[in-house]
Amino acid sequence: MTFADVVAGSVHDAAPALIGWTLLVDGVGGRIVEVEAYEESDPASHSFGGPRGRNVVMFGPPGHLYVYRSYGIHWCANIVCGPAGHGSAVLLRALEPTHGLDTMRARRGTTQDRLLCAGPGRLTQALGITNADNGADLRDAPFELLPPDHPATVARTTRIGITKATEKEWRYLDAESAAVSRRAVSRA
DNA sequence: CAGTGGATGCTCT
DNA sequence: GAGCATCCACTGT
């Protein structure tokens, strides 16, 4: 199963299948341990209501990056999934840091390795992903995607930080990783 | 530990 | 002008 095959499928198949892949930007990054799925029919999704403004990348080909600014401060990164034109994407919420730890510590200004990539805003800061990467093809440099070296135990919960469609269990995480932004058991 | 509020910019399902 | 797919510093137990 190549990365292109994974992201070409339905976002609901692609999201859990992406857990365990390693994402690197210029050789810096880690193992994907937490994602959320968004699609066009989903009121919580930026693609809800069709292609307009910032969301046009979500309706493009799969395997590209969709980057947006969150709360005026942070960048958040998504991988476009599904057949082109479907407006679905997977939000990257947490990585387990494996490559270029010193670079990530410097960018994040912290020595707390547990929080280096635990959260969508932290992750983009650690990898140096910004608006300039919006629409980039993840098959091209400086990006690299490496397949899982061991199978992950994938857990499923409701999504974090949204106010619409909060009942959908479209958040997927590695149940055994300590690098996730919030544990599977912590429920409101 | 938990809970609260400020920072900050883009979109307007 | 309001609301937001967030994070951090601060407060009070």
Side-chain angles (χ1 to χ4, degrees):
Chain A
M1 198 79 167
T2 66
F3 174 70
D5 291 332
V6 171
V7 296
S10 155
V11 70
H12 301 294
D13 297 328
L18 283 168
I19 300 294
W21 284 75
T22 292
L23 168 66
L24 304 180
V25 183
D26 276 323
V28 173
R31 194 166 166 274
I32 299 172
V33 294
E34 179 181 352
V35 300
E36 287 176 359
Y38 290 86
E39 64 169 31
E40 186 180 1
S41 65
D42 165 18
S45 174
H46 290 175
S47 59
F48 186 71
R52 262 189 326 280
R54 66 175 174 180
N55 73 17
V56 292
V57 172
M58 290 183 76
F59 291 88
H64 288 234
L65 263 188
Y66 165 51
V67 182
Y68 67 94
R69 195 181 279 285
S70 171
Y71 291 93
I73 306 198
H74 307 284
W75 298 109
C76 291
N78 298 248
I79 300 176
V80 177
C81 289
H86 277 222
S88 56
V90 167
L91 170 68
L92 298 173
R93 285 197 56 92
L95 305 183
E96 190 173 288
T98 58
H99 292 61
L101 278 281
D102 286 339
T103 301
M104 293 195 279
R105 289 185 191 112
R107 285 176 178 155
R108 293 264 309 120
T110 180
T111 54
Q112 287 206 59
D113 288 357
R114 196 178 61 78
L115 297 179
L116 273 185
C117 300
R122 294 174 178 138
L123 179 160
T124 53
Q125 187 182 15
L127 271 59
I129 294 174
T130 69
N131 200 26
D133 300 302
N134 189 34
D137 189 336
L138 288 168
R139 291 172 303 182
D140 295 340
F143 303 102
E144 278 182 88
L145 278 136
L146 314 176
D149 53 12
H150 61 90
T153 305
V154 179
R156 175 182 176 174
T157 75
T158 52
R159 295 177 291 184
I160 306 280
I162 55 171
T163 56
K164 296 169 189 157
T166 55
E167 77 290 349
K168 296 185 191 301
E169 296 195 326
W170 288 356
R171 173 177 178 246
Y172 299 91
L173 49 87
D174 182 335
E176 292 161 7
S177 176
V180 297
S181 65
R182 299 191 206 178
R183 294 314 194 92
V185 286
S186 74
R187 299 289 293 277

